[in-house]
Amino acid sequence: MPQPCFSGIDVGASAVKVVVIDDSGDILGLNVRRSGHDFEASAKASFDAALAAANLDSGDIVRIVSTGYGRRNTLFSDYTRTEIGCHARGCFHYFPRAITVVDIGGQDNKVIKLDDRGRRINFKMNRKCAAGTGAFLEEMANRLSVPLDGLDSLARSAGGEATLGSYCTVFSATEVLEKIRAGTPLADLVKGIFRSVVKRVMEMEPLTGTVVATGGVVAHNPGMVAILEEEIGRPVLVPPHPQCTGALGAALFARDSEE
């Protein structure tokens, strides 16, 4: 008899992430795509793609849990959970100990502290400003006429680093323009932008103990993790598929639920 399978759907403001797991919590299939303007349609398309990757059909899925900004738009899921809970659950699955989760997403950041049983001690979330988020990187990439997926390699090739002191995306853009005019090398500028993102996150909450980094920004920009390690002075752990940690957490809640 086929083993039961479960799915988690994380409908973020920028991207939809879907994970399909088996009863052991192993990932069988996943998919990531842009959220677009129709969250329901994007979630369904991503769900179907994840099922295809797992060589399953919808009848094989026992339960679906959705999370994220657009979780209530996923009408075919069985119930919803908050993204704070799902990111924590997904990270604790890989690192079952007391951890500080740093999630750098497209539109917001989260710092979540868990005890050694995975229980949430506290959390901070920054929704009020794009500074320090993926949206900020997109804005800076557009400003520099650099493909978004080219930022990481540029930052890694930097021989120096520009300093950005502004706390606001608009003012940071002005600073970037001033440094372009002053002849700052592009790679140094991008590395400075990366450090600016890390500093905005560190201002939210002290990053104590073992730090785990997740989110789409982390997934696409490993160089940012290296800067975070420099700032806190110790290694930072990154789970497999860091952009899908929230979706994995939702899938684990689906597996563990009796609803």
Side-chain angles (χ1 to χ4, degrees), residues 80-105:
T80 66
R81 296 292 295 250
T82 69
E83 57 258 52
I84 298 291
C86 288
H87 280 281
R89 184 73 181 84
C91 288
F92 192 75
H93 176 72
Y94 288 114
F95 307 109
R97 68 197 79 158
I99 53 176
T100 296
V101 176
V102 174
D103 175 69
I104 307 177

Side-chain angles (χ1 to χ4, degrees), residues 5-9 19-27 63-65 79 81 85-95 244-258:
C5 299
F6 308 87
S7 181
I9 302 176
V19 166
V20 176
I21 64 170
D22 61 18
D23 198 36
S24 299
D26 293 332
I27 294 177
R63 208 159 23 251
I64 303 169
V65 170
Y79 66 97
R81 296 292 295 250
C86 288
H87 280 281
R89 184 73 181 84
C91 288
F92 192 75
H93 176 72
Y94 288 114
F95 307 109
C244 297
T245 306
L248 173 63
L252 292 167
F253 279 125
R255 182 197 64 178
D256 298 341
S257 172
E258 296 181 354

Side-chain angles (χ1 to χ4, degrees), residues 23-194:
D23 198 36
S24 299
D26 293 332
I27 294 177
L28 303 177
L30 57 80
N31 182 259
V32 178
R33 65 183 58 211
R34 301 284 295 182
S35 299
H37 69 282
D38 187 338
F39 287 172
E40 172 75 5
S42 298
K44 185 64 170 61
S46 190
F47 176 65
D48 289 343
L51 286 177
N55 197 27
L56 298 171
D57 60 42
S58 58
D60 297 315
I61 304 301
V62 174
R63 208 159 23 251
I64 303 169
V65 170
S66 61
T67 187
Y69 178 79
R71 60 186 179 274
R72 301 193 191 285
N73 297 83
T74 311
L75 301 180
F76 59 94
S77 66
D78 294 295
Y79 66 97
T80 66
R81 296 292 295 250
T82 69
E83 57 258 52
I84 298 291
C86 288
H87 280 281
R89 184 73 181 84
C91 288
F92 192 75
H93 176 72
Y94 288 114
F95 307 109
R97 68 197 79 158
I99 53 176
T100 296
V101 176
V102 174
D103 175 69
I104 307 177
Q107 298 291 334
D108 57 49
N109 299 327
K110 309 171 194 67
V111 177
I112 312 163
K113 295 194 173 184
L114 306 179
D115 68 13
D116 59 2
R117 296 179 63 184
R119 296 176 300 195
R120 191 172 67 216
I121 300 172
N122 66 13
F123 75 93
K124 292 282 180 67
M125 190 167 183
N126 173 24
R127 283 186 186 272
K128 294 182 179 179
C129 177
T133 69
F136 173 71
L137 288 182
E138 277 196 61
E139 170 65 24
M140 293 300 110
N142 288 334
R143 183 76 61 174
L144 297 172
S145 298
V146 173
L148 190 60
D149 60 6
L151 292 178
D152 191 67
S153 59
L154 269 172
R156 288 168 183 262
S157 70
E161 184 177 323
T163 301
L164 299 177
S166 295
Y167 288 78
C168 167
T169 300
V170 175
F171 292 149
S172 292
T174 302
E175 270 195 283
V176 166
L177 282 174
E178 290 173 350
K179 292 186 184 303
I180 291 173
R181 188 172 58 191
T184 302
L186 181 59
D188 295 1
L189 198 46
V190 173
K191 188 173 181 180
I193 290 169
F194 273 26

